[in-house]
């Protein structure tokens, strides 16, 4: 099942099925193949399993420590007005609470409740589980993928 408009079919290939494509075309094709495997399907699957929206899951991901509303907007890469709605939803579900900052009482800090910490721990546990498409690869392919990703992230 594809959740994103990018897929192997939508990525342009070189004239010989990608063999003569330049590095930029190969990189684009690789990215086009990777995106639908990584995001949003896995993220949506985890959010659904935990009974939250993807935006709430995104917020939980960044609340290991209390964060200001402004910092939440930066981490979520969204407008601060969107964070208000996300935090409202977290508060309605008793997963987080707004508190005045110890440094500046005009600033609000978002902090997880005990229930929020428990749900965040479950979310992290789920996010760390490899998806089926990785588990289904041979051990050799899993090692090759791991090595490629290590090089890419260093």
């Amino acid at each position: 099942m594809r959740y994103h408009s990018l897929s192997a079919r939508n990525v342009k290939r070189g004239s010989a099925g990608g063999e003569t494509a330049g590095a930029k075309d190969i990189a684009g094709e690789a990215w086009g193949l990777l995106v639908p495997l990584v995001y949003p399907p896995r993220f949506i699957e985890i959010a659904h399993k935990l009974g939250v929206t993807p935006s709430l899951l995104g917020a939980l991901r960044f609340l290991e420590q209390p964060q200001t509303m402004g910092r939440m907007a930066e981490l979520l890469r969204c407008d601060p007005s969107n964070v208000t709605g996300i935090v409202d939803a977290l508060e309605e579900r008793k997963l987080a609470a707004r508190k005045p900052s110890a440094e500046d009482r005009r600033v609000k800090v978002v902090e997880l409740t005990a229930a929020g910490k428990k749900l965040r721990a479950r979310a992290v546990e789920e996010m760390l589980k490899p998806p089926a498409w990785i588990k289904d690869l041979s051990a050799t392919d899993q090692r090759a993928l791991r090595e490629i990703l290590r090089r890419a992230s260093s």
Side-chain angles (χ1 to χ4, degrees):
M1 179 182 312
R2 297 269 185 219
Y3 292 86
H4 198 281
S5 63
L6 290 177
S7 70
R9 289 171 294 203
N10 296 339
V11 177
K12 291 183 180 178
R13 296 177 184 264
S15 58
E19 295 299 319
T20 61
K24 189 174 181 181
D25 292 339
I26 294 169
E29 182 178 356
W31 182 241
L33 292 165
L34 185 59
V35 166
L37 293 171
V38 178
Y39 184 85
R42 184 80 175 126
F43 203 73
I44 290 171
E45 175 188 321
I46 293 168
H48 181 71
K49 184 174 186 175
L50 297 175
V52 296
T53 64
S55 60
L56 293 186
L57 179 59
L60 287 170
R61 196 175 53 163
F62 295 119
L63 284 169
E64 182 176 13
Q65 300 295 322
Q67 302 288 349
T68 65
M69 298 283 284
R71 180 68 179 137
M72 287 293 297
E74 291 171 9
L75 292 168
L76 293 170
R77 298 177 187 205
C78 69
D79 190 83
S81 63
N82 292 339
V83 174
T84 300
I86 293 168
V87 174
D88 286 348
L90 288 170
E91 284 186 317
E92 285 171 19
R93 298 185 62 163
K94 309 227 183 296
L95 298 172
R98 286 181 185 95
K99 297 181 177 183
S101 167
E103 291 83 34
D104 184 346
R105 293 186 53 78
R106 296 170 295 174
V107 175
K108 296 293 183 196
V109 174
V110 182
E111 186 173 353
L112 291 179
T113 62
K117 289 176 184 177
K118 185 176 178 180
L119 185 61
R120 184 186 183 283
R122 285 183 53 213
V124 169
E125 182 181 319
E126 288 297 323
M127 286 187 259
L128 292 175
K129 289 180 184 175
W133 67 268
I134 290 180
K135 289 196 254 182
D136 291 345
L137 294 173
S138 69
T140 300
D141 286 346
Q142 287 180 22
R143 280 190 289 279
L145 177 61
R146 179 192 63 200
E147 295 309 312
I148 290 166
L149 294 172
R150 279 182 176 167
R151 286 193 309 270
S153 64
S154 62

